[in-house]
Amino acid sequence: KTLFRSHCYSISPSSYTARGSFARMGIPAPPNFNYATRTQRLEIERLGRLWGCHTCGTRMLFAGKNNLPKFHGDHIPPVSVAKQLNDRWYRKALNVKVSQKFYPQCRDCSNKQGGMLAKAIKAGHRNLRSVGGGEESYFHGRRVRVGHLTGGLVAVLSVGGIDSDGGEDNGDLVCASRKRVRSFQERTEDLARDLKGRVESVWRDF
């Protein structure tokens, strides 16, 4: 997780109208459906470059060095979905409104989301929350990502100390595996902190 920036659910499909598979951190959005403020946009840009688009996972590393924002602040749930949910009779009766957060989203996913919702609204769709999911969702399970190596790496660390004659019993294996994983985790955390500092320094120079 520390090294590969990935979770097991990152290979699941992402709905275009819900919190995506790559979502990590969100910023609370105002209750009046306003766009992100300048300060929020800067934070969204930082989160996007760190964790990637919450829908497809891209970090836009090769999008050029211009000053244009690489990521949009995506309302989750989207504004049209939230408005439709807020119009439900039970929410009106209880005066309970949907809370939203901003998540970083790349331009391509943002445009696809907007097109899907505009088409659904024009067609009079009564459940906008379901739009962008199912067959319309972003499926990236067939794309090889570095995070997919996590399981194999853990397996290698777990059996790395066993000789060909099975020289370790189960208790020794568990203890040795834990030590190897802990040692590797400490090294990778140090490496990740150093790498993060270097990357942030490079981004500040852009």
Side-chain angles (χ1 to χ4, degrees):
K1 177 179 174 181
T2 301
L3 179 63
F4 295 134
R5 295 184 177 183
S6 184
H7 290 278
C8 58
Y9 52 76
S10 293
I11 57 176
S12 62
S14 290
S15 169
Y16 282 98
T17 55
R19 188 173 180 266
S21 300
F22 291 90
R24 294 293 180 272
M25 298 176 62
I27 303 173
N32 53 6
F33 305 122
N34 281 350
Y35 291 110
T37 64
R38 183 179 183 279
T39 301
Q40 288 174 324
R41 290 197 300 271
L42 292 174
E43 179 64 11
I44 289 165
E45 191 74 9
R46 186 189 72 82
L47 292 174
R49 294 185 177 191
L50 179 63
W51 299 111
C53 169
H54 79 100
T55 303
C56 71
T58 180
R59 285 156 60 199
M60 303 292 288
L61 296 178
F62 305 104
K65 298 183 180 180
N66 55 51
N67 293 323
L68 296 176
K70 306 288 191 302
F71 299 92
H72 297 295
D74 183 27
H75 284 91
I76 293 297
V79 171
S80 55
V81 175
K83 287 182 176 179
Q84 189 181 70
L85 292 173
N86 286 338
D87 282 339
R88 301 284 171 84
W89 67 268
Y90 56 87
R91 286 190 176 275
K92 287 184 175 181
L94 298 173
N95 194 29
V96 177
K97 294 186 176 181
V98 175
S99 60
Q100 295 174 292
K101 282 188 175 182
F102 289 122
Y103 288 94
Q105 189 176 51
C106 69
R107 293 190 294 269
D108 287 345
C109 288
S110 179
N111 292 337
K112 289 178 182 177
Q113 180 199 79
M116 289 177 179
L117 286 172
K119 183 179 178 180
I121 292 171
K122 186 177 180 179
H125 205 297
R126 301 183 65 180
N127 186 16
L128 295 177
R129 186 166 51 177
S130 66
V131 175
E135 294 182 355
E136 294 180 317
S137 61
Y138 184 93
F139 181 69
H140 37 70
R142 296 188 183 91
R143 296 179 61 183
V144 178
R145 294 177 181 272
V146 68
H148 297 170
L149 301 175
T150 305
L153 179 60
V154 172
V156 170
L157 290 171
S158 298
V159 301
I162 302 178
D163 58 31
S164 59
D165 296 325
E168 291 185 355
D169 60 25
N170 290 339
D172 292 337
L173 174 61
V174 171
C175 182
S177 296
R178 287 176 177 172
K179 289 181 179 179
R180 281 191 291 271
V181 171
R182 189 180 303 115
S183 176
F184 181 80
Q185 182 178 355
E186 291 173 353
R187 290 198 301 270
T188 53
E189 286 178 350
D190 290 339
L191 177 63
R193 281 192 289 267
D194 180 64
L195 183 61
K196 179 183 177 182
R198 292 171 182 266
V199 170
E200 289 179 345
S201 176
V202 171
W203 283 124
R204 283 195 296 267
D205 295 337
F206 278 178

